[in-house]
Amino acid sequence: MKDVAARAGVGLKTVSRVVNGEPGVTPDTERRVQEAITALGFRRNDSARMLRKGRTASIGLILEDLADPFYAPLARAVEEVAREHGALLINGSSAEDPERERELALAFCARRVDGLVVIPAGADHRYLEPEMAAGVATVFVDRPAGLIAADAVLSDGFGGAREGVAHLIAHGHRRIGFIGDQPHIHTAVERLRGYRAAMAAAGLPVDESWVSLGGTGAERVRAEAERMLGGERPVTALFTGNNRVTVTVIRVLAGLPRRVALVGFDDLELADLLSPAITVVAQDPARLGRTAARLLFRRLGGAERVPRRVELPTQLIVRGSGELPP
Amino acid sequence: MKDVAARAGVGLKTVSRVVNGEPGVTPDTERRVQEAITALGFRRNDSARMLRKGRTASIGLILEDLADPFYAPLARAVEEVAREHGALLINGSSAEDPERERELALAFCARRVDGLVVIPAGADHRYLEPEMAAGVATVFVDRPAGLIAADAVLSDGFGGAREGVAHLIAHGHRRIGFIGDQPHIHTAVERLRGYRAAMAAAGLPVDESWVSLGGTGAERVRAEAERMLGGERPVTALFTGNNRVTVTVIRVLAGLPRRVALVGFDDLELADLLSPAITVVAQDPARLGRTAARLLFRRLGGAERVPRRVELPTQLIVRGSGELPP
């Protein structure tokens, strides 16, 4: 660890923070420490510990959809940390089905995974308590566990959405629509809470017809966007609750004769090349995955006792669509 | 299977073709059969066979990068087929490192996977022969195996690239650049072969300064694109060999005062909303994954003896960038 600190030009405490997924490290510093770790081939001791057990360690990852461009880098980051610890990755997609999440988690435990990283679909995780008591380390990521005490690594959805909506308000918007994911999903609710907080802070009333939570399928999102943009008092701006919603709303707006302001939660690969380029509140999915996986291995190593909640900041990226006037 | 055939409105033979990953089924028909399978909860018998073994079956998937938008839907499709057969998915990213591919494959075999789906990084797969002889079914996808006889499910990279380049030629281009992936990668070589075939068929000479194979990192691709677009006799059009290359070239072209024609191999999520919209030669990564996984389970079920090679067609999607004049 001394070598890593020297190479990255930081103190030992900073290296320890990065390795253990603790907050208080800037993304740039984290990247430098990460590069030093890779360059030096640094591995934690529990890799050796697992080898002593005489079999390959493995961890299970349950996410919503492996094909979603938000979850794919998260999964890859979990895999990279697992690899640093000599562990394989078993994963599965819950497709937002709590029963499928449970089936996968229990099947992974039956396969003797050492730990689980879970993006939960369900709201009740008591079914995992016996497994956790038996030593399966479990970290929830993106959304917290329901009805049990467990580690969680989250993005600041509330603060990010509040900042994005305040940005639209600062550019003169008063009637702002919010289209988000289903209301049982923690992140959807947190982002909506951020929307309401920004409106309230500016003293703006919210017409409930401007708020829509539901599936992120293109058909529903398109219908809701068209409804909010039509009628006698249309919204002049939209805030979209995740990348799937944003993509559909971009398509709706591209077909309109007038330009409507848009800020989207989550970045998109070609967002900067569209006209207007899309202003977003970006999460760092790779950092979410890396932080969760590091916390998992720290817990496996016995270094953690009390469940922890880590919240990562979001970043407003100003590109054009969020600065259009009403 | 009769119920599936009736619901999908097709014959039994067609259902069998879809389930077994055989060619000769249109994407639309495949989709209908797939929907009927999902609606009816149809599962193959080997799921029961695996349950009789008293443990959860699992298959291993080795790909280049779980975070790449081409591989993510492929991985999800493999997972869905595995699920239909009651099997879990273990996966890992080779990061184009043959040694890492080998490590992952052997670690998966040590964990007693029933089969492997491999997007190979290396060119010599003799290390897998003992595992295959011991009964680990293995299907290669996207790229064929090296030095062993094994199943392979590929896209028609040669035909797709030939069609894309012929499209540029048909729009008046004579000096066309090709920027592709590293020369040891099968798909990079096949697509370059398609480029050369289209140029030869039109009687056009190829200046070797128009051809560049190498890493798909943004820095190299940007330098090569700028080199081909500069000088006294710049190319008037570019053909890009995969989605990573295309994204960088789009950024280079966006910074130019003149418009340069572009056809890219692989589709991109927002390609239709750019200006100009991007003409692409699209693969269907989900279908590649589905076909490979079905072939794997067919082989596990003992229904296959001789190694098979399945080649899926590509589709030219005309959107604007490939129709710009020289």
Side-chain angles (χ1 to χ4, degrees):
Chain A
M1 279 182 62
K2 272 188 202 159
D3 295 342
V4 171
R7 191 181 177 105
V10 299
L12 269 178
K13 179 67 197 155
T14 302
V15 175
S16 157
R17 281 205 180 106
V18 170
V19 170
N20 293 324
E22 290 175 48
V25 183
T26 68
D28 184 58
T29 302
E30 188 189 337
R31 188 183 46 72
R32 274 190 293 137
V33 171
Q34 188 56 41
E35 283 170 3
I37 287 172
T38 306
L40 295 167
F42 169 74
R43 287 194 183 190
R44 282 170 58 90
N45 286 339
D46 34 16
S47 158
R49 184 181 66 85
M50 284 163 183
L51 287 173
R52 278 198 303 274
K53 284 198 272 177
R55 62 181 180 85
T56 313
S58 65
I59 65 170
L61 169 66
I62 299 170
L63 33 70
E64 185 208 327
D65 179 359
L66 204 48
D68 184 315
F70 174 73
Y71 294 114
L74 190 159
R76 175 70 197 271
V78 171
E79 183 198 350
E80 286 300 320
V81 174
R83 185 177 159 81
E84 285 169 18
H85 292 266
L88 296 176
L89 183 67
I90 304 181
N91 63 34
S93 303
S94 71
E96 289 296 0
D97 175 352
E99 187 47 40
R100 187 158 163 180
E101 171 209 306
R102 179 192 165 105
E103 265 179 32
L104 282 169
L106 295 178
F108 291 173
C109 290
R111 290 282 291 192
R112 309 249 173 171
V113 294
D114 298 271
L116 289 172
V117 175
V118 183
I119 295 163
D124 180 354
H125 296 96
R126 285 174 296 182
Y127 73 88
L128 272 173
E129 280 182 316
E131 306 294 339
M132 289 166 74
V136 178
T138 302
V139 175
F140 289 76
V141 62
D142 189 41
R143 308 165 185 175
L147 307 183
I148 62 169
D151 291 322
V153 177
L154 313 172
S155 280
D156 179 13
F158 168 74
R162 186 180 53 183
E163 185 181 6
V165 174
H167 184 74
L168 289 167
I169 294 169
H171 283 82
H173 295 277
R174 298 294 171 261
R175 297 196 306 279
I176 302 172
F178 179 97
I179 306 179
D181 209 334
Q182 302 180 68
H184 65 266
I185 298 175
H186 173 80
T187 47
V189 173
E190 280 297 290
R191 294 169 198 174
L192 176 56
R193 209 162 63 77
Y195 163 86
R196 291 195 190 278
M199 295 295 273
L204 296 174
V206 173
D207 185 318
E208 288 308 314
S209 73
W210 302 343
V211 173
S212 172
L213 295 188
T216 57
E219 205 173 323
R220 186 196 80 88
V221 170
R222 174 174 285 277
E224 289 298 273
E226 287 173 348
R227 181 181 62 71
M228 291 182 196
L229 292 165
E232 286 191 8
R233 284 172 53 83
V235 300
T236 64
L238 285 166
F239 186 87
T240 46
N242 72 20
N243 66 355
R244 298 299 86 208
V245 177
T246 307
V247 164
T248 297
V249 167
I250 291 172
R251 290 184 196 286
V252 171
L253 298 186
L256 287 187
R258 68 184 190 281
R259 288 200 152 186
V260 172
L262 168 67
V263 175
F265 205 99
D266 293 328
D267 206 359
L268 300 166
E269 178 156 44
L270 296 174
D272 57 318
L273 293 177
L274 297 178
S275 179
I278 309 301
T279 295
V280 300
V281 175
Q283 302 185 74
D284 185 340
R287 193 176 179 204
L288 274 174
R290 205 156 51 230
T291 305
R294 285 189 184 138
L295 185 51
L296 183 82
F297 281 99
R298 191 176 177 203
R299 195 162 282 283
L300 273 176
E304 287 283 345
R305 295 274 175 264
V306 182
R308 295 184 48 192
R309 185 179 176 121
V310 178
E311 199 168 72
L312 300 179
T314 58
Q315 189 192 359
L316 178 70
I317 303 177
V318 171
R319 292 195 180 116
S321 72
E323 297 74 57
L324 294 172
Chain B
M1 279 183 64
K2 272 189 201 159
D3 296 339
V4 171
R7 188 179 178 107
V10 300
L12 268 179
K13 179 66 197 154
T14 302
V15 176
S16 157
R17 279 205 181 105
V18 170
V19 171
N20 294 324
E22 290 175 49
V25 183
T26 67
D28 185 56
T29 303
E30 188 189 338
R31 189 183 45 74
R32 274 190 293 137
V33 171
Q34 187 58 40
E35 283 169 2
I37 287 172
T38 306
L40 295 168
F42 168 74
R43 288 192 183 192
R44 283 171 58 90
N45 287 337
D46 33 18
S47 158
R49 182 180 67 85
M50 283 162 182
L51 287 173
R52 279 198 301 277
K53 284 197 272 176
R55 62 179 181 87
T56 313
S58 65
I59 64 170
L61 169 66
I62 299 170
L63 32 70
E64 186 208 328
D65 180 359
L66 203 50
D68 184 314
F70 174 73
Y71 293 114
L74 190 158
R76 175 69 197 269
V78 171
E79 183 197 350
E80 286 300 321
V81 175
R83 185 176 159 81
E84 286 168 20
H85 292 265
L88 295 176
L89 182 67
I90 303 181
N91 63 33
S93 303
S94 71
E96 290 295 1
D97 175 352
E99 187 47 42
R100 187 159 163 178
E101 170 209 305
R102 179 193 167 106
E103 264 180 34
L104 282 169
L106 295 178
F108 291 173
C109 291
R111 289 282 291 194
R112 308 251 175 170
V113 294
D114 298 272
L116 288 173
V117 175
V118 182
I119 295 163
D124 180 354
H125 296 97
R126 286 175 295 183
Y127 73 88
L128 272 173
E129 281 183 315
E131 307 293 341
M132 290 166 72
V136 179
T138 303
V139 175
F140 289 77
V141 62
D142 188 45
R143 310 164 183 175
L147 307 183
I148 62 169
D151 291 322
V153 177
L154 312 172
S155 281
D156 179 13
F158 168 74
R162 186 179 54 184
E163 186 182 7
V165 174
H167 183 75
L168 288 167
I169 294 169
H171 283 82
H173 295 277
R174 297 293 172 264
R175 298 195 307 280
I176 301 172
F178 179 98
I179 306 180
D181 209 336
Q182 302 180 70
H184 65 266
I185 298 176
H186 173 80
T187 48
V189 173
E190 280 298 289
R191 295 170 198 174
L192 176 56
R193 209 163 62 78
Y195 162 87
R196 291 194 190 280
M199 296 294 274
L204 296 174
V206 173
D207 185 317
E208 288 308 314
S209 73
W210 302 342
V211 173
S212 172
L213 295 187
T216 57
E219 203 174 328
R220 187 196 80 88
V221 170
R222 173 173 285 275
E224 288 299 90
E226 287 173 349
R227 182 182 60 71
M228 292 183 195
L229 292 164
E232 286 190 8
R233 283 173 52 82
V235 299
T236 64
L238 285 165
F239 185 88
T240 46
N242 72 22
N243 65 358
R244 298 299 84 208
V245 178
T246 306
V247 164
T248 298
V249 167
I250 291 172
R251 290 183 195 286
V252 171
L253 298 186
L256 287 186
R258 68 186 192 280
R259 289 200 150 186
V260 171
L262 169 67
V263 174
F265 205 100
D266 294 328
D267 205 358
L268 300 167
E269 177 156 48
L270 296 174
D272 58 318
L273 293 177
L274 297 178
S275 178
I278 308 301
T279 295
V280 299
V281 176
Q283 301 185 75
D284 186 340
R287 193 176 180 204
L288 274 173
R290 205 156 49 231
T291 306
R294 285 188 182 139
L295 186 52
L296 183 82
F297 281 99
R298 191 175 177 205
R299 195 163 282 282
L300 272 176
E304 287 283 344
R305 295 275 175 266
V306 181
R308 297 184 47 194
R309 186 179 175 121
V310 178
E311 197 168 73
L312 300 179
T314 58
Q315 188 193 358
L316 179 70
I317 303 176
V318 171
R319 293 196 179 117
S321 71
E323 297 75 57
L324 294 172

